[in-house]
Amino acid sequence: MKKYLPYISIIGIAAFVGNMLVIGFGFGAFWQSLEPMEFMKQFTLQFPNLLPPTMGILLPALLATIALVINTKGQKEVRKNWSIALAGLVIACTITTAYHLPTNLGFMESEYSAEVATSKLNLWMLLHWVRTVVVFIAAIFAVKAFELSTNN
């Protein structure tokens, strides 16, 4: 199993980047084109379908990357790169937990006025792109860690 962990991590992180791009360019752009009340209605229908595949991609990537940080204890440079990749995933998860999930629940409950919904969606998108960049950087460091481990 240990020899498959780097592949699970890299493929998972790369798939997560792709997922984030689809959400940003596809759904996010669509949501921002709607009137706020219609957006919240559409979000309520669409978000429950986005969550399972996102978690199905993220969890294996996260678990494999954690295992790789633990398993590379004696390889300083390799471990440093896996640690940076893990930090990127943790930062993305932290942003999601702190802002996106509570805001998503508010959208789904239509608890915001039109002005507040627009403002929250704009911040949602900004923070979404921050997450996307951070996860893209995590992917780069995961590949770098893999390269370093295969060259040793």
Side-chain angles (χ1 to χ4, degrees):
M1 181 64 177
K2 276 186 179 181
K3 71 179 185 177
Y4 296 111
L5 288 174
Y7 299 106
I8 293 168
S9 175
I10 291 169
I11 292 168
I13 294 170
F16 190 49
V17 171
N19 182 47
M20 301 291 276
L21 292 171
V22 167
I23 290 170
F25 286 126
F27 288 96
F30 171 66
W31 293 332
Q32 287 183 310
S33 74
L34 299 173
E35 293 298 320
M37 295 304 154
E38 180 60 24
F39 151 67
M40 288 189 284
K41 183 177 166 186
Q42 290 297 316
F43 188 89
T44 301
L45 298 171
Q46 294 165 350
F47 178 71
N49 295 320
L50 292 173
L51 192 57
T54 301
M55 294 309 295
I57 292 167
L58 175 60
L59 284 177
L62 187 60
L63 294 173
T65 308
I66 290 168
L68 286 159
V69 170
I70 293 167
N71 291 337
T72 55
K73 203 171 196 173
Q75 304 167 4
K76 187 177 179 182
E77 273 304 301
V78 173
R79 187 176 199 195
K80 179 182 96 174
N81 284 279
W82 284 123
S83 296
I84 293 169
L86 178 59
L89 293 175
V90 169
I91 290 167
C93 290
T94 301
I95 293 169
T96 300
T97 302
Y99 185 78
H100 288 92
L101 290 178
T103 305
N104 292 354
L105 293 175
F107 290 149
M108 293 173 73
E109 294 169 4
S110 295
E111 73 178 38
Y112 307 122
S113 68
E115 292 145 359
V116 172
T118 300
S119 174
K120 286 196 173 284
L121 177 57
N122 289 337
L123 181 55
W124 193 102
M125 288 299 296
L126 175 67
L127 291 173
H128 177 76
W129 291 119
V130 170
R131 291 186 305 184
T132 304
V133 168
V134 168
V135 175
F136 182 78
I137 292 167
I140 291 168
F141 279 93
V143 170
K144 187 174 176 186
F146 179 74
E147 287 176 343
L148 286 170
S149 69
T150 57
N151 290 336
N152 291 336

